[in-house]
Amino acid sequence: MDRTILDGTILDAVVVGGGPAGATAATDLARLGRRVVLLDRAGRIKPCGGAIPPRLIRDFAIPDDLLVAKIRSARMVSPRDRAVDMPVGEGFVGMVDRGPFDEWLRVRAALAGAGRVTGTYLRLTRAGDGPVTVHYRDAAGAEGALRARLVIGADGANSAVGRQEIPAHARMRQVFAYHEIVRTPPSGAFEGARCDVYYQGVLSPDFYAWIFPHGDTLSIGTGSARKGFSLRGAVGRLRAATGLEHGETVRREGAPLPLKPLSRFDNGRDVLLTGDAAGLVAPASGEGIYYAMFGGRLAAEAAHAFLATGDARALAQARRRFLKAHGRVFWILRMMQTVWYRNDALRERFVSICRDPDVQSLTWDAYMNKELVRAKPAAHARIFFKDLAHLFRWVSP
């Protein structure tokens, strides 16, 4: 990269974290003509099922060759091992491998004009009312520094930037996710165009477990916020139950997932959070890639407005616009998780609801397009009353 960036030049922004949120923010800022550096540590791969909806592929121009699989149905498995298939219908859900996918996003940021620095974030410091200094340690162990008018923290649910700058970050509630990447068996026993989702207390007492195809590998994982629950043990049980206990394990990964957007994304001065660092992960599903990239784009636009005016109030528009677009969906998903994930009896009924054609149609419409379908009020009403019937056990699962 251009060495002048490291020689005391005051940048417009430093983006800490090179996942989908940070890479998108850096790309968009560079395209807006801002001097921006993307700081990311080497070798980071987030545990993730890797699903991306058509809305993301369209909005962020993702090339087809990054898709390792195309999902055309989901299979929901209940505590009693009852399976409900939910075909996508028209179109597909893309699957990506986060290692190559994230690096492609970082390369795109560099091609747009962002500088890239590989290193581990250490801390922020300030001298009076001047720019903020980002301290980091490079791969050789030497400490470096970048000065900027703004820092965008996109460094994950345990964001070091957030812990230092946003008091609400210390109260962030999280689910811990863990998965194992396993070679796909040659027998053809696993459908390469179907995701399997397990709603079973033995595999997760408060979330779900999954087997997602990634072409020549499978992501087998689970998540839970319950302390003491063995995620590795649960994945081991799932592998044994599905005949994958002897498959080759390529790698194992774990990381926290936030459960709710923070009450504030910025410090009112020169720091703005986005992605997992801001809590932009969907409740109930744990979906984060689309929301991370959408949040990264909003962060870039808010940052651009702040840099143009010097008014730190512009930073708040990132949270306001995100909640306007997705706050209602997040609230519905949070209520769904609270109601249906409490025990196996309710999980059994939840999976039973998924047989309903109205539920399947509206679920896929909302997921694929990332918005509630307002044109089908009758279907919404039918689902509401069916949910009540299952919740109060007026019908059998």
Side-chain angles (χ1 to χ4, degrees):
M1 65 171 292
D2 184 353
R3 293 299 304 177
T4 61
I5 292 178
L6 303 180
D7 292 338
T9 300
I10 298 176
L11 302 160
D12 289 317
V14 172
V15 180
V16 180
T24 300
T27 299
D28 285 7
L29 278 172
R31 287 174 175 172
L32 288 167
R34 296 298 179 180
R35 293 201 54 163
V36 56
V37 164
L38 181 62
L39 172 66
D40 192 53
R41 58 193 172 101
R44 175 203 50 78
I45 303 176
K46 180 186 174 182
C48 176
I52 59 172
R55 175 73 181 271
L56 184 154
I57 295 171
R58 293 193 306 269
D59 287 359
F60 296 96
I62 304 303
D64 194 70
D65 60 10
L66 278 177
L67 305 183
V68 294
K70 295 180 178 180
I71 300 302
R72 302 187 185 275
S73 70
R75 174 166 291 176
M76 325 297 275
V77 184
S78 79
R80 298 180 190 173
D81 285 325
R82 296 178 179 178
V84 174
D85 285 348
M86 298 179 63
V88 171
E90 297 296 326
F92 62 87
V93 176
M95 302 296 292
V96 297
D97 186 322
R98 286 293 300 273
F101 180 72
D102 288 15
E103 177 59 15
W104 184 87
L105 293 175
R106 292 188 287 268
V107 169
R108 180 160 71 175
L111 292 174
R116 286 189 65 178
V117 172
T118 300
T120 301
Y121 169 86
L122 297 175
R123 63 192 177 278
L124 302 180
T125 60
R126 298 175 181 84
D129 295 328
V132 60
T133 300
V134 180
H135 301 268
Y136 67 94
R137 180 170 289 112
D138 66 20
E143 187 168 325
L146 298 164
R147 294 198 300 161
R149 296 174 59 195
L150 177 70
V151 173
I152 296 178
D155 50 337
N158 284 336
S159 170
V161 176
R163 290 198 306 270
Q164 179 178 338
E165 294 294 324
I166 312 295
H169 202 280
R171 300 185 294 275
M172 177 183 278
R173 295 181 60 241
Q174 299 174 344
V175 162
F176 200 86
Y178 169 78
H179 77 162
E180 297 177 359
I181 301 297
V182 178
R183 294 286 180 201
T184 302
S187 63
F190 286 87
E191 172 59 54
R194 189 190 72 216
C195 287
D196 292 352
V197 185
Y198 294 79
Y199 294 97
Q200 300 179 347
V202 69
L203 298 178
S204 173
D206 51 355
F207 202 55
Y208 65 84
W210 67 84
I211 299 179
F212 289 173
H214 283 186
D216 60 358
T217 62
L218 300 167
S219 165
I220 308 173
T222 188
S224 177
R226 186 169 298 180
K227 292 182 179 179
F229 181 77
S230 174
L231 299 177
R232 284 201 177 202
V235 169
R237 285 190 289 274
L238 180 54
R239 291 182 64 170
T242 52
L244 291 167
E245 67 268 45
H246 300 304
E248 179 190 354
T249 302
V250 178
R251 64 180 188 268
R252 297 178 173 89
E253 298 157 348
L257 299 177
L259 293 177
K260 185 179 180 181
L262 291 176
S263 58
R264 181 161 191 158
F265 292 1
D266 68 279
N267 68 350
R269 180 180 178 181
D270 53 14
V271 171
L272 175 63
L273 302 182
T274 191
D276 284 15
L280 306 187
V281 173
S285 69
E287 182 194 357
I289 301 177
Y290 170 78
Y291 296 111
M293 295 182 72
F294 180 72
R297 176 151 290 172
L298 295 183
E301 291 170 358
H304 185 59
F306 161 72
L307 293 166
T309 64
D311 188 347
R313 290 175 297 182
L315 299 175
Q317 77 180 35
R319 182 179 188 274
R320 184 166 57 250
R321 292 177 62 196
F322 184 90
L323 293 181
K324 182 178 180 180
H326 300 295
R328 186 180 178 201
V329 170
F330 273 40
W331 183 86
I332 291 170
L333 291 173
R334 189 159 54 250
M335 291 302 101
M336 187 184 84
Q337 182 173 356
T338 300
V339 171
W340 295 112
Y341 290 14
R342 286 180 292 170
N343 56 54
D344 274 354
L346 288 168
R347 292 184 192 98
E348 194 73 38
R349 292 177 178 275
F350 171 71
V351 173
S352 181
I353 291 172
C354 294
R355 294 192 184 97
D356 187 273
D358 289 327
V359 171
Q360 294 193 9
S361 174
L362 291 180
T363 296
W364 283 122
D365 282 348
Y367 174 80
M368 304 281 269
N369 299 301
K370 287 292 165 272
E371 58 187 17
L372 293 176
V373 184
R374 303 179 188 276
K376 300 179 180 179
H380 282 290
R382 287 195 298 271
I383 290 172
F384 173 75
F385 287 112
K386 289 169 186 175
D387 279 355
L388 287 181
H390 279 274
L391 182 59
F392 291 106
R393 303 188 181 188
W394 297 333
V395 296
S396 59

